Amino acid sequence: MLAIDVGGTLVRTAVVAGGGVTTDRLATATPDEPWRIDRLVQIATDLHDAALAGGVHPEHLVVAVPGQVDEYHGAVQFSSTLPWHDVAVAD
């Protein structure tokens, strides 16, 4: 599994292998504005590549974002720490 936690000041990522063993962790500064969804896609792609290089073949991606989330549509409706309003994260 790949995990991404988007925060107002840090983006934390982790690769979790079988049995819940975390094989790779990274915390980087949240990008300055404009903080666009394509940056999140790039972070997920880089994390996936790192997992494969480490021999982990992830089947799931979990993204945590601050703010109000419409779980049915997979969208961030509002975030007080990111300039995201009605952003389709699940897509």
Side-chain angles (χ1 to χ4, degrees), residues 26-67:
L26 179 64
T28 58
T30 299
D32 292 331
E33 289 190 46
W35 176 222
R36 300 183 322 236
I37 198 70
D38 61 332
R39 180 65 181 123
L40 180 60
V41 171
Q42 186 61 55
I43 290 169
T45 300
D46 293 347
L47 187 60
H48 185 260
D49 292 347
L52 293 177
V56 176
H57 299 276
E59 296 181 16
H60 305 284
L61 169 65
V62 176
V63 179
V65 295

Side-chain angles (χ1 to χ4, degrees), residues 9 12 18 20 24 31-33 44 48 51 53 56 58-59 61 64-66 69-70 72-75 81 90:
T9 57
R12 292 183 172 95
D24 188 24
D32 292 331
E33 289 190 46
H48 185 260
V56 176
E59 296 181 16
L61 169 65
V65 295
V69 176
D70 178 347
Y72 182 76
H73 293 103
T81 58

Side-chain angles (χ1 to χ4, degrees), residues 4-12 30 35 37 40 63-70 75-87 89:
I4 302 173
D5 177 6
V6 180
T9 57
L10 290 175
V11 176
R12 292 183 172 95
T30 299
W35 176 222
I37 198 70
L40 180 60
V63 179
V65 295
Q68 294 175 303
V69 176
D70 178 347
V76 177
Q77 293 176 319
F78 171 78
S79 174
S80 61
T81 58
L82 298 173
W84 289 1
H85 302 282
D86 299 316
V87 175
V89 175

